[in-house]
Amino acid sequence: MLTKNTEKYLDFETCQEVFANLREQNRKIVLCHGVFDLLHPGHITHLQEAKALGDLLVVSITAAQYVNRGPGRPIFSDDLRLYSLASLACVDYVLLSPVATALEVLDRVQPAFYCKGHEYSDPSKDVTQNIDREAERVKAYGGELAYTGEIVFSSTKLLNNYMDVLPPQIKSYASQLSQQYPFEEIRKGVDAMQKLKVLVLGDVIIDEFFHCTVQGLTSKGRVISTRFIKKEQHLGGSLAIARHIASFVDSVTVAGVVGNEPDIHSLILNNINGGIRLDLQYEDGSPTVVKRRYIERQGMREDYTKLFSINYLEEEQPSPVQRQKLLDRLRKTIGDYDIVVVADYGHGLLDTALMELVQTKAQFLALNCQTNSANHGYNLITKYQRTDTFCLDLQELRLAFSSRHGDHSHLLKRLHEHLGAKQGWLTLGSSGSLGINAKGEEDLSPAMTLAVKDTIGAGDAYFALASLSAKLELPLAVGSLLGNLAGSMAANVLGNAEPVEKARLLKFATTLLKF
């Protein structure tokens, strides 16, 4: 049972009035903000030096759900982190921030000094790029940004090295990888993606999730009876991949065909950011593919149980007229893109003519040919003859060669030779992934987390980042890392509710590679 000094705890929603009263009393307020996952001597000196700048020291921490350090972080709960800080004599108030950045905290506290550790004094090393924005905000209120704490430690490095916060296979992998490819080299590769001009071509899919709870079986029909809770709609298919890519590049275009449903048009426009250009054709009589899933979340568990699904799709789509229009447009523009990302979900968009076009005219082709319940056994990646990079899962690989029990490493080499690819990846779920390069060398890397909410969309996220890495000819191990980071992040949200963002991925990477 924690014995809290409740006088030090302030509520985020009501604290603004408290700080306004303190400023009226000419009390000089100092603010420190961070995660403070593992309190160490570096934190103590940072806080003590900060307190010396003013009359009152306020320490705010980011609530766990907004900590962008990858699944499983922070290690310590909100309550324990607040309790540790409130126990320090130099700290006058503690505050839990239910937002991702310090900007709203600064709005409420309006400190005379906003203090960060000396490790933040070089803004170029801040992967979130928040320091400059925070400096502007504190100056707008007449405050100053200060750097305190001469003793510098890293909570993340201490946790990774001395506590069992990472599964043994991830710890061993990350420690070795950090020696071979330091974080700054990883970041340099990710930053280089920005200049790429990307085309995403594939089936547009709308993912629907109906949240419900199972009540039992009906008394007469013996059918599962559920109670509806809420409905969610996400952009899936090629649009989901484009949203992942958009955070890393300046220019991404999505080409394809959708139906003429006004509600779906609104959904697409409301969830596409300004960095994505839509080159979509709208067709009457050919509805957009919708995949509806009925799901249940049990108690306090984070993962979801899928109860039932319904697919709304046509056997043949789009029409020959729309196919020809799309083909004609792409023939004129396909050579303008640095990389063409093909997301073939087997719902009818990629016919022989389009397949031939992308294989012969794309400067660099990235291919994902998916097996799902609607096309099981009929949408094999081996129908393509050439690609520069590819990504698929184990079931898709086995179906491609009609090999239920064959060695997957051998099958991957066969596919690699068949497609003549420079790099390719086989995703293995909780076992990570197996990559292969032009020399036939393989890279086996673990999944970056075993904590999963929903695996839908994880493969698409992996494919998006691995494809960009392959285009830049980054080392195979780097592509595997980036793909696994993206896949792990995507597996911790429902469906495609959120795209993988560059800043969050880099924060996850630096957390993992600090040894």
Side-chain angles (χ1 to χ4, degrees):
M1 185 72 176
L2 299 179
T3 303
K4 297 180 180 179
N5 185 347
T6 55
E7 293 181 355
K8 290 190 175 184
Y9 286 70
L10 294 179
D11 180 73
F12 187 77
E13 297 301 328
T14 60
C15 67
Q16 197 161 0
E17 184 177 349
V18 174
F19 295 124
N21 291 333
L22 291 170
R23 286 194 302 274
E24 287 179 3
Q25 299 170 26
N26 293 319
R27 307 296 297 278
K28 190 177 292 185
I29 302 171
V30 182
L31 172 67
C32 294
H33 175 83
V35 177
F36 297 98
D37 197 8
L38 178 66
L39 205 57
H40 55 66
H43 287 144
I44 303 299
T45 59
H46 167 57
L47 297 174
Q48 288 176 337
E49 290 178 23
K51 174 64 177 287
L53 295 174
D55 302 312
L56 297 167
L57 176 60
V58 180
V59 183
S60 57
I61 67 169
T62 305
Q65 70 184 98
Y66 299 100
V67 173
N68 296 324
R69 296 188 178 180
R73 298 296 176 96
I75 302 302
F76 295 101
S77 68
D78 294 343
D79 281 346
L80 286 175
R81 289 182 292 135
L82 286 171
Y83 173 76
S84 298
L85 291 163
S87 299
L88 299 177
C90 64
V91 176
D92 296 287
Y93 295 105
V94 293
L95 185 66
L96 181 67
S97 172
V99 289
T101 73
L103 296 178
E104 291 190 38
V105 180
L106 290 167
D107 290 339
R108 284 167 167 75
V109 179
Q110 297 182 26
F113 289 95
Y114 175 51
C115 295
K116 299 294 288 184
H118 279 286
E119 65 271 27
Y120 290 93
S121 59
D122 183 356
S124 67
K125 294 183 179 180
D126 175 26
V127 298
T128 65
Q129 299 182 329
N130 285 329
I131 293 296
D132 288 340
R133 290 192 288 268
E134 292 167 1
E136 290 178 7
R137 188 66 57 89
V138 73
K139 289 177 182 177
Y141 293 116
E144 297 180 36
L145 176 65
Y147 298 99
T148 63
E150 292 295 339
I151 303 174
V152 177
F153 286 91
S154 165
S155 293
T156 300
K157 185 177 291 188
L158 291 170
L159 287 167
N160 285 350
N161 278 298
Y162 302 111
M163 298 183 70
D164 294 328
V165 298
L166 296 172
Q169 70 274 20
I170 298 179
K171 183 174 182 178
S172 174
Y173 163 82
S175 178
Q176 294 177 26
L177 191 69
S178 67
Q179 299 301 313
Q180 188 175 5
Y181 301 106
F183 172 73
E184 286 306 318
E185 187 172 338
I186 305 293
R187 183 180 180 181
K188 184 178 179 181
V190 172
D191 287 342
M193 296 174 181
Q194 186 172 346
K195 296 181 180 180
L196 293 176
K197 188 175 182 181
V198 181
L199 172 67
V200 179
L201 172 64
D203 302 285
V204 172
I205 299 171
I206 303 300
D207 292 319
E208 293 185 343
F209 294 90
F210 281 65
H211 296 254
C212 53
T213 57
V214 175
Q215 295 176 308
L217 298 177
T218 58
S219 58
K220 295 181 180 179
R222 309 303 293 167
V223 175
I224 293 177
S225 173
T226 64
R227 181 173 64 84
F228 173 79
I229 298 175
K230 65 178 181 179
K231 171 187 174 182
E232 290 186 44
Q233 289 181 305
H234 306 156
L235 302 184
S238 59
L239 292 176
I241 292 174
R243 292 179 75 209
H244 293 315
I245 292 174
S247 180
F248 296 85
V249 306
D250 287 335
S251 174
V252 56
T253 299
V254 184
V257 179
V258 296
N260 240 335
E261 308 93 337
D263 59 326
I264 288 180
H265 296 180
S266 297
L267 178 69
I268 293 173
L269 293 175
N270 289 336
N271 288 276
I272 288 292
N273 65 36
I276 299 177
R277 176 177 171 269
L278 296 176
D279 186 14
L280 300 175
Q281 295 175 200
Y282 302 94
E283 181 175 19
D284 292 318
S286 182
T288 306
V289 174
V290 176
K291 297 185 177 181
R292 178 178 297 174
R293 300 170 179 91
Y294 293 82
I295 61 174
E296 180 183 38
R297 185 174 176 179
Q298 299 180 359
M300 298 297 292
R301 291 179 58 177
E302 291 290 322
D303 58 325
Y304 294 88
T305 299
K306 297 176 182 65
L307 305 173
F308 190 73
S309 67
I310 302 175
N311 294 332
Y312 297 83
L313 50 86
E314 297 292 320
E315 290 295 329
E316 295 292 336
Q317 61 173 20
S319 68
V321 172
Q322 293 294 346
R323 288 182 187 279
Q324 192 59 48
K325 286 183 179 179
L326 178 61
L327 188 63
D328 290 343
R329 284 218 310 274
L330 289 178
R331 280 175 175 156
K332 297 176 182 177
T333 61
I334 194 168
D336 298 335
Y337 296 97
D338 299 309
I339 175 173
V340 177
V341 177
V342 170
D344 186 347
Y345 294 89
H347 298 315
L349 179 69
L350 274 297
D351 62 2
T352 303
L354 264 181
M355 289 168 55
E356 181 181 358
L357 178 66
V358 297
Q359 289 178 97
T360 57
K361 299 300 182 182
Q363 289 190 41
F364 187 94
L365 178 61
L367 175 64
N368 175 242
C369 191
Q370 189 181 105
T371 290
N372 51 57
S373 60
N375 65 34
H376 193 87
Y378 294 98
N379 194 47
L380 306 180
I381 195 170
T382 44
K383 68 183 182 181
Y384 291 87
Q385 302 301 312
R386 189 202 75 80
T387 189
D388 294 291
T389 188
F390 63 88
C391 185
L392 79 172
D393 65 24
L394 187 55
Q395 176 183 235
E396 291 158 353
L397 179 63
R398 293 197 180 284
L399 285 172
F401 294 104
S402 301
S403 177
R404 178 174 292 182
H405 303 295
D407 176 65
H408 59 258
S409 174
H410 173 68
L411 296 177
L412 181 61
K413 289 177 181 177
R414 285 182 61 187
L415 180 61
H416 176 253
E417 292 173 2
H418 171 81
L419 294 172
K422 298 171 183 175
Q423 292 184 350
W425 284 273
L426 169 65
T427 58
L428 299 167
S430 61
S431 297
S433 66
L434 180 64
I436 188 169
N437 63 17
K439 297 179 181 178
E441 299 167 335
E442 294 183 336
D443 175 72
L444 180 63
S445 59
M448 296 298 108
T449 181
L450 298 179
V452 171
K453 288 185 179 180
D454 179 34
T455 58
I456 290 174
D460 291 338
Y462 189 113
F463 173 51
L465 267 295
S467 296
L468 298 180
S469 177
K471 166 57 186 174
L472 294 175
E473 299 182 353
L474 300 182
L476 183 65
V478 173
S480 298
L481 171 68
L482 296 176
N484 275 310
L485 290 173
S488 295
M489 292 170 67
N492 275 272
V493 298
L494 177 62
N496 290 298
E498 300 173 10
V500 172
E501 296 178 349
K502 177 181 176 180
R504 292 181 62 205
L505 182 136
L506 287 175
K507 197 71 175 178
F508 188 4
T510 188
T511 298
L512 191 72
L513 297 176
K514 276 190 177 180
F515 282 91

